[in-house]
């Protein structure tokens, strides 16, 4: 006697087909790995382990990066049109987790985030997965170009902002450029540099008496410097400024020929126009110690100092 294999209920088969169709129209596995990586980063500080490497601001970095990765994974599931934009940011957060907290969840969370970001970035919808009613692989009709246009515009707008480094309201003043800088940039040192809204605006040039000078252009909303010291190197005598603290607030722009320091007090790096480029975006909780920079020029809406004094030799 032949026994037939029992078939699943019709409702269950229908739900399974819907789930399969939904999974095939988005980078499901990449988003899943990113979510797992973020969850692992969140759970490590709460685990009963006796040895943790909590860097940053007392483990807050683990919570912030882990939560951001979980949100990024959900965006990859429910907004696959923006997968390129989201996967790049998830990759940056995953790499940063190695420096910010617990060595990237003891490498597990970092590797899950990197792998998921790579899978999501390389994922493309299958042409044959379109529905019979004329919908595209994302479930939108050809006439609805809004979500696709938004997904295409996000990376373009991000690249444009990072390339120009100026908001639209200040576009009229852009052709004037920065003022003339000294021949030899002064040296600035600080024991702690804490930026807010830090962004790398590219490599540019500033005018000097000896011609244009190539500089790194760094923009931020505000910055706090502790144990601020500035020393001029242009001329026979050396002059300097010193302050216990210095606050730069509002449309801060730094023009630097060299910038070195230790990220989170651990990883010491040196950036220059012809050397290692600065990362495009720095999370708000990242700080640098033992900073030394050759500052050609700085502009800011407001500068507040504590104990400012002039020194000469």
């Amino acid at each position: 006697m032949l026994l037939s294999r029992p078939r699943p209920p019709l409702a269950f088969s229908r739900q399974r087909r819907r789930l399969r169709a939904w999974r095939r129209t988005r980078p499901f596995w990449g988003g899943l790995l990113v979510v797992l990586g973020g969850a692992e980063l969140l759970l490590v500080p709460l685990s009963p382990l006796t040895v943790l490497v909590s860097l940053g601001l007392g483990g807050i970095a683990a919570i912030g990066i882990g939560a951001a990765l979980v949100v990024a994974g959900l965006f990859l599931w429910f907004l696959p049109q923006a997968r390129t934009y989201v996967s790049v940011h998830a990759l940056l957060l995953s790499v940063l987790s190695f420096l910010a907290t617990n060595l990237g969840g003891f490498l597990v969370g970092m590797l899950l985030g990197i792998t998921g970001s790579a899978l999501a970035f390389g994922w493309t919808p299958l042409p044959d997965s379109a529905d019979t009613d004329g919908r595209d692989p994302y479930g939108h009709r050809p006439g609805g170009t809004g979500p696709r246009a938004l997904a295409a515009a996000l990376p373009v707008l991000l690249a444009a902002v990072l390339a120009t480094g100026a908001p639209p309201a200040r576009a009229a003043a852009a052709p004037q450029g920065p003022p003339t800088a000294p021949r030899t940039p002064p040296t600035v040192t600080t024991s702690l540099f804490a930026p807010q809204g830090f962004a790398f605006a590219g490599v540019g040039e500033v005018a000097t008496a000896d011609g244009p000078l190539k500089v790194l252009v760094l923009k931020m909303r505000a910055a706090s410097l502790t144990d601020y010291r500035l020393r001029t190197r242009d001329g026979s005598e050396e002059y300097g400024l010193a302050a216990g603290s210095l606050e730069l607030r509002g449309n801060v722009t730094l023009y630097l020929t060299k910038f070195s320091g230790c990220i989170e007090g651990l990883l010491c790096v040196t950036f220059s126009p012809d050397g290692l480029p600065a990362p495009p975006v720095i999370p708000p909780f990242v700080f640098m110690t033992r900073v030394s920079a050759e500052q050609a020029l700085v502009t800011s809406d407001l500068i507040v100092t504590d104990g400012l004094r002039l020194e000469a030799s």
Side-chain angles (χ1 to χ4, degrees):
M1 181 177 62
L2 298 177
L3 298 177
S4 61
R5 183 179 180 182
R7 295 184 178 180
L10 181 60
F12 178 78
S13 299
R14 188 177 304 169
Q15 293 178 358
R16 185 177 179 181
R17 286 196 301 268
R18 289 180 179 177
L19 177 61
R20 183 182 301 172
W22 179 85
R23 190 179 70 239
R24 290 180 176 178
T25 57
R26 62 207 66 241
F28 176 80
W29 297 112
L32 178 62
L33 292 180
V34 172
V35 170
L36 292 177
E40 198 270 348
L41 290 175
L42 283 172
L43 294 177
V44 165
L46 304 178
S47 65
L49 297 177
T50 57
V51 178
L52 290 178
V53 188
S54 295
L55 308 179
L57 301 179
I60 297 180
I63 300 175
I65 295 178
L69 285 177
V70 171
V71 173
L74 296 177
F75 266 80
L76 291 174
W77 281 351
F78 298 104
L79 193 63
Q81 303 93 326
R83 64 186 181 278
T84 303
Y85 176 84
V86 175
S87 59
V88 169
H89 281 71
L91 176 64
L92 293 176
L93 289 172
S94 301
V95 174
L96 181 63
S97 67
F98 182 81
L99 302 175
T101 176
N102 297 315
L103 304 177
F106 299 108
L107 299 180
V108 177
M110 182 188 70
L111 293 178
L112 286 174
I114 292 175
T115 305
S117 302
L119 290 176
F121 185 84
W123 178 87
T124 54
L126 296 176
D128 59 352
S129 63
D131 296 336
T132 57
D133 62 351
R135 296 175 181 267
D136 64 9
Y138 296 118
H140 302 289
R141 296 184 182 277
T145 59
R148 286 189 172 185
L150 176 62
L154 283 174
V156 175
L157 291 176
L158 178 64
V161 170
L162 295 179
T164 59
R170 300 175 62 88
Q176 299 178 359
T180 303
R183 292 185 179 89
T184 305
T187 300
V188 174
T189 59
T190 177
S191 60
L192 177 63
F193 174 67
Q196 299 178 15
F198 181 101
F200 173 54
V203 177
E205 292 183 346
V206 295
T208 68
D210 296 334
L213 181 66
K214 186 182 292 187
V215 293
L216 293 171
V217 183
L218 308 179
K219 291 181 175 290
M220 58 206 74
R221 295 192 307 271
S224 174
L225 293 82
T226 304
D227 297 329
Y228 173 81
R229 298 289 186 276
L230 181 145
R231 292 289 180 272
T232 62
R233 298 181 296 125
D234 191 2
S236 57
E237 295 186 1
E238 182 179 277
Y239 296 90
L241 293 175
S245 64
L246 186 140
E247 300 281 342
L248 304 172
R249 302 173 185 172
N251 298 314
V252 181
T253 305
L254 304 179
Y255 302 88
L256 309 173
T257 58
K258 186 178 180 181
F259 183 70
S260 62
C262 299
I263 302 175
E264 300 284 343
L266 295 175
L267 180 62
C268 298
V269 292
T270 299
F271 304 109
S272 66
D274 300 320
L276 181 64
V281 180
I282 299 296
F285 50 79
V286 172
F287 61 89
M288 298 187 70
T289 61
R290 292 177 288 177
V291 173
S292 177
E294 295 178 2
Q295 177 182 286
L297 200 62
V298 58
T299 60
S300 176
D301 293 343
L302 180 65
I303 300 178
V304 180
T305 64
D306 180 20
L308 182 65
R309 60 186 183 274
L310 176 65
E311 299 176 350
S313 60

